[in-house]
Amino acid sequence: MSFAAATRIEQIQTMIGSLAAPAAAPQPSGAPGATSFAQTLATVRTPVAAQSGDGSAPFGAEIDAAAARYGIDPSLLRGLVRQESGFDPRAHSSAGAMGLTQLMPATASSLGVTDPYDPVQSLDGGAHYLRQMLDRFGNDPAKALAAYNAGPGAVARFGGVPPYAETQHYVQNILGGASA
């Protein structure tokens, strides 16, 4: 069996096993606006991170460090990584997005990311960009995630999560099924 196939089987088994795991309580980050962010997360089920065989999230320490650096709830960043790349640091979209946080080349470059396939750089760039979107949209995680997916212009134009099925699904998946 190829390494990729074995890895994918492990990911699927982990996802199945994580469905039965209880959701963790959201942890406020202490950053400005964290109270409203924590309140928002308290109204939704916390995303269940894909887990490795030992029960820890892939890149858990790196995700936690990037989240702390930018004052983001680690569960939000973990959910974004799960949704964007399935924790695959070599992920590459047909649109050209790359790495764990699926940064587009111009965005990655603007954030100082020189190798989007490097997990630490990708997580730092993705967390930095998510922090920018949280700041731009009043620390509203649904709007920030929608901006991460569809672009900040679309969120501004529609005054919230755009009526795009892909973006609505994206936000709902990360926030655990809450209304977007």
Side-chain angles (χ1 to χ4, degrees):
M1 178 180 316
S2 74
F3 176 75
T7 301
R8 185 66 185 138
I9 290 169
E10 182 180 320
Q11 288 174 337
I12 292 168
Q13 290 171 335
T14 299
M15 289 176 3
I16 291 168
S18 70
L19 292 175
Q27 299 295 316
S29 67
T35 302
S36 64
F37 176 64
Q39 289 169 339
T40 300
L41 283 181
T43 65
V44 300
R45 193 179 77 241
T46 301
V48 178
Q51 296 181 346
S52 62
D54 67 357
S56 62
F59 305 103
E62 295 87 350
I63 290 170
D64 290 347
R69 200 167 21 260
Y70 294 100
I72 298 169
D73 187 298
S75 67
L76 185 65
L77 184 58
R78 196 169 284 108
L80 181 143
V81 172
R82 182 190 69 237
Q83 183 69 25
E84 288 287 350
S85 67
F87 296 96
D88 178 2
R90 303 299 302 168
H92 187 95
S93 77
S94 59
M98 302 173 284
L100 286 172
T101 58
Q102 290 293 281
L103 296 171
M104 293 297 287
T107 303
S109 180
S110 75
L111 297 165
V113 175
T114 58
D115 180 1
Y117 295 113
D118 172 43
V120 172
Q121 287 189 48
S122 181
L123 291 167
D124 187 78
H128 188 175
Y129 188 66
L130 182 58
R131 175 79 263 159
Q132 289 175 347
M133 296 303 100
L134 285 163
D135 291 344
R136 180 168 178 176
F137 294 104
N139 286 309
D140 182 326
K143 289 179 183 176
L145 290 168
Y148 197 101
N149 177 260
V155 174
R157 191 168 43 257
F158 288 99
V161 178
Y164 310 147
E166 176 191 333
T167 301
Q168 292 177 352
H169 180 73
Y170 176 89
V171 171
Q172 289 173 345
N173 278 347
I174 294 173
L175 293 180
S179 285

